Amino acid sequence: MKKQLASLNIYSPGKTAEEIQRDLNIKSEMMKLSSNENVYGPSPEVEKTLQAAIQNIHEYPDAAGTDLKQAISRFYQVPSEAVLLGAGLDEVIQMLSRAILKPGDEIVTSEQTFVQYSHHAVIEDCTIVTAPLTNGKFDLKALLGQVTDKTALVWLCNPNNPTGNYFSEEELTAFLREVGDVPVVLDEAYAEYVTAENYPDSLKLRDQFENIIILRTFSKAYGLASLRIGYAISSDEWTDLWHRVKLPFNVTTLSLKAAEAALADQDYLKRIVTQNATERARYYASEFKNHLLPSETNFVFIQVDDASQLNDFLLRKGIIARPVPGGVRLTIGTRDQNDVIIEVLNEYFKEEA
Ligand SMILES: Cc1ncc(COP(=O)(O)O)c(C=O)c1O
């Protein structure tokens, strides 16, 4: 076995909503707000498409994912050869790591970010070099100081999971000008939710900086988390490399078709994003707003000294969130859910005061 695997944690899915409900004897319906899924579900067009696509599940999928790649290519005005499809960004992150990292290389990323960047670096026997977050966002100046000639890959998560804050186009451009030609991954899993005007237009920056690899997913705002489909957009040269490590049929026909339908329904996406922004604003207008890091996503990070105490309090009220170091990450719910949650959080912080 690879000796470095011994240090890895196995992903723990935690208890199901039903198990928690039973164990804590909760009578009300549980709100599962721990994985930043789209609480409204996907476009209704997706269901229709899936019903038609199910006729062909005895056949292997299109290994090249041609139709979806062309749809992404038209949507973003990028060559379809620049698109790599994966079974969620989880698989894309694995493919990039597998293609690029050699034992002894270093990756540079932030503390408290999406764990899969480091997970795959460990599997590839690499060293992880980090800088702290500043106010819940990647500190690009500090990260630049960590990049050396040993750095094989830089992972930037924008907005960051689990904290929700983002860095601007100006900050990113300054970083890219200095960093040289090391590949820089921009994980933009939550990009569709961002409403801040100075959020980087990474697709435009791609023309200027050939070393950037942009990651997007259908799991979040497009509401297809269970279908497992995400993609990278990079320079066409890189894509050839990715395809050498890609499993031939890594993405299913149902995922390909559903993603195409979801991408085509931009009116629905806009409604989701607007609704999420409206609900998000309610948290920032609440009595406990000072406990929140700024968020441009569909979740908020509630800063507390004792994350497990707040998490247990929420659980007893039927709210499943995610405790992380320094706080609790909570997916923004529907209007009705947020009515309840905001009351519950008011109560918690009043008791704490
Ligand atoms: C920042 C970030 N990147 C990547 C992923 C993986 O997404 P998926 O594999 O569902 O596309 C997630 C999921 O939570 C995420 O938060």
Side-chain angles (χ1 to χ4, degrees), residues 21 26-31 317-319 337:
Q21 201 168 21
I26 296 167
K27 302 282 178 254
S28 58
E29 210 179 301
M30 299 297 289
M31 302 181 208
K317 305 283 183 181
I319 303 159
Q337 289 176 326

Side-chain angles (χ1 to χ4, degrees), residues 170-183:
E170 205 182 330
E171 288 168 272
L172 176 61
T173 311
F175 176 85
L176 291 172
R177 281 208 190 97
E178 296 289 322
V179 78
D181 53 12
V182 57

Side-chain angles (χ1 to χ4, degrees), residues 35-36 87-91 93 114 117 157 159-161 187 189-190 216-220 225 228-230 329:
S35 301
N36 303 336
L89 284 184
D90 283 343
E91 197 205 11
I93 294 166
F114 192 58
Y117 318 142
C157 188
N160 186 42
N161 176 12
D187 182 345
Y190 299 93
R216 297 280 178 102
T217 181
F218 287 97
S219 296
K220 304 298 177 184
R228 313 303 304 125
I229 181 144
R329 191 194 70 190

Side-chain angles (χ1 to χ4, degrees), residues 244-263:
R244 288 170 201 269
V245 297
K246 178 183 138 354
L247 295 177
F249 302 109
N250 62 331
V251 177
T252 70
T253 303
L254 297 184
S255 320
L256 291 165
K257 296 284 182 201
E260 233 188 293
L263 187 66

